[in-house]
Amino acid sequence: MAISLSVVLLLAIILVVLIRGGSIKTGPAIVAVLFGFFLASTGMAPSINRFMDSIAETINQISF
């Protein structure tokens, strides 16, 4: 839960920066958000969550 909340917050910040910087317009940003929202309710959601968890674990195991 903590990881997914952090990812959502990070992606929201990136989206706001891209919109305010003019790199992405509001329309395509809304489409991207809606795509993610509807993708989360499909059968692919568990696979995507497992993939993101494995990436988070890999990054967590890297020692600096």
Side-chain angles (χ1 to χ4, degrees):
M1 167 84 174
I3 292 175
S4 63
L5 183 60
S6 299
V7 171
V8 168
L9 183 61
L10 176 66
L11 292 175
I13 291 170
I14 291 171
L15 185 60
V16 168
V17 168
L18 288 174
I19 290 173
R20 290 180 80 30
S23 297
I24 187 171
K25 301 291 183 200
T26 307
I30 291 171
V31 170
V33 168
L34 289 174
F35 173 73
F37 177 77
F38 287 114
L39 183 64
S41 64
T42 66
M44 287 183 62
S47 299
I48 294 169
N49 283 334
R50 281 192 300 271
F51 176 70
M52 293 304 291
D53 286 342
S54 68
I55 289 175
E57 285 180 28
T58 302
I59 292 172
N60 201 19
Q61 290 176 357
I62 297 173
S63 60
F64 294 99

